[in-house]
Amino acid sequence: MSETRRPGDWPRATDAEFGPPLAGDYRAAPEDFVVEEVLGFAPEGHGEHLWLWIEKRGLTTLDAVRHVARECQVSPRAVGYSGMKDRIAVTRQWLSVQLPGQPAPDDLIERLAACGVRVLEQARHPRKLKRGVHRANRFTLRITGATVNAQLEARWAWLCRHGVPNLFGPQRFGPEGRNLARARAVLDRGWRKRDDKEGMLLSAARSYLFNELLAMRLADGSWQRLLTGDVAILDGSASQFVVEALDAELAERAERLDLHPSGVLWGVGNSMAGGEAVAFEQTLSERHAALCQGLERAGVRMARRALRMRLDQPQLEVTADVARLGFHLPRGGFATAVLRELLDHPTLTSFAQRTTPGREPG
């Protein structure tokens, strides 16, 4: 079968219950999209790495890294970060900079502020901040438009009860899906590091395949329940196990969002899935043989990702035609996956983006 689905055309979980959502807007200004990294631990207060708790707007995380490196007169490789945060947003996250035996420059805070990077706190730590070590991200969002009505509250309650499809957001694929188109071309001729230094194209291809598999599970309703042979992931952790036989206890744990079914992030290796669950992966490999084989030739390792994510500490406040949402998502979860269940907006279901928002979130 050919690869005909346009990125962004994946189904919504809430449509069967409520029908398609009405139009709305969610990022009229950076202050409408606030992201705060939840690290899960604190710097120890000593060591050769200076950790900076920063707030930025109008900058990507890599922009902030370059500013810190320049002002501290170090290589960008000496600056660590855990996740990539949006550009068109107000975001707070930790960065680390290696300064062995050196104090921070006296005017570092002022010089970074002039670049749009506000330092809220600083502390020392023995180790560099590594990618993917934070626990979660806290989102505070403002949405407006016709979608802000009584049905919005019902949709929100449904998502809090059943969870949210853990789709990769449109940022992963680039404006108009161009990252995916580039990934296809690079993988067709054979992936090389020099063509994709940051691994962005490999990530776009794997994310697309994952979303395609999740779309199949959304279509048959099994995205939120365990199947025989599923690889179950414990909520809030990386712990996983194969569901050899489905019983009432496992089904009940999945219903209360303690366990989630998972999907494959394609690459080299043997899938852990079996039974009913592996059939979806086999269909995926048949429908998208070129992408799957290209990723295998590139040598990327197979991994797993939960098909569903739980809204932690959810909050909703509706005033007139404005809704304010607050929630935690696990590391790697996209707030745009939540928003596409609540409102109709071109940047959530297609890739004709009015601006390039950067990455959300790492």
Side-chain angles (χ1 to χ4, degrees), residues 142-145 148 317-324:
R142 178 180 181 272
I143 62 177
T144 58
V148 181
E317 177 186 335
V318 179
T319 306
D321 60 349
V322 175
R324 291 177 175 81

Side-chain angles (χ1 to χ4, degrees), residues 226-262:
L226 295 173
L227 302 176
T228 302
D230 253 327
V231 181
I233 294 181
L234 181 64
D235 184 66
S237 81
S239 178
Q240 52 188 256
F241 63 91
V242 178
V243 179
E244 302 286 359
L246 187 60
D247 57 25
E249 180 185 357
L250 288 176
E252 191 274 331
R253 290 181 66 186
E255 186 175 351
R256 69 170 190 261
L257 310 183
D258 182 45
L259 294 175
H260 307 293
S262 71

Side-chain angles (χ1 to χ4, degrees), residues 11 20 49 61 87 116 131 184 231 253 282 292 304 362:
H49 294 267
T61 296
R87 179 171 68 87
R131 290 293 304 270
R184 292 188 195 279
V231 181
R253 290 181 66 186
Q282 292 166 347
C292 292
R304 309 292 303 184

Side-chain angles (χ1 to χ4, degrees), residues 96-232:
S96 73
V97 54
Q98 189 173 19
L99 295 171
Q102 305 173 46
D106 290 338
D107 57 350
L108 177 63
I109 293 177
E110 292 77 12
R111 290 166 68 178
L112 287 176
C115 302
V117 178
R118 183 182 172 206
V119 177
L120 304 177
E121 184 181 343
Q122 53 185 310
R124 289 276 178 167
H125 194 70
R127 293 171 295 281
K128 180 180 181 179
L129 182 58
K130 298 292 188 181
R131 290 293 304 270
V133 300
H134 64 292
R135 187 178 65 200
N137 289 292
R138 174 71 184 175
F139 294 89
T140 305
L141 311 180
R142 178 180 181 272
I143 62 177
T144 58
T147 195
V148 181
N149 56 24
Q151 192 187 91
L152 177 74
E153 298 184 55
R155 282 181 182 271
W156 178 251
W158 192 96
L159 293 172
C160 292
R161 170 68 183 83
H162 296 283
V164 180
N166 195 14
L167 289 165
F168 286 97
Q171 303 92 321
R172 184 56 56 93
F173 308 103
E176 300 179 349
R178 287 197 290 268
N179 288 351
L180 180 61
R182 290 174 59 202
R184 292 188 195 279
V186 166
L187 291 171
D188 281 347
R189 68 172 180 260
W191 182 88
R192 298 174 299 179
K193 178 70 172 177
R194 67 187 183 190
D195 297 326
D196 186 21
K197 292 181 180 179
E198 300 295 329
M200 177 180 65
L201 302 183
L202 291 179
S203 179
R206 295 219 297 172
S207 300
Y208 175 76
L209 291 172
F210 176 88
N211 282 10
E212 284 286 276
L213 186 145
L214 177 48
M216 286 188 267
R217 298 283 295 255
L218 280 162
D220 82 343
S222 66
W223 68 281
Q224 59 177 327
R225 59 182 172 84
L226 295 173
L227 302 176
T228 302
D230 253 327
V231 181

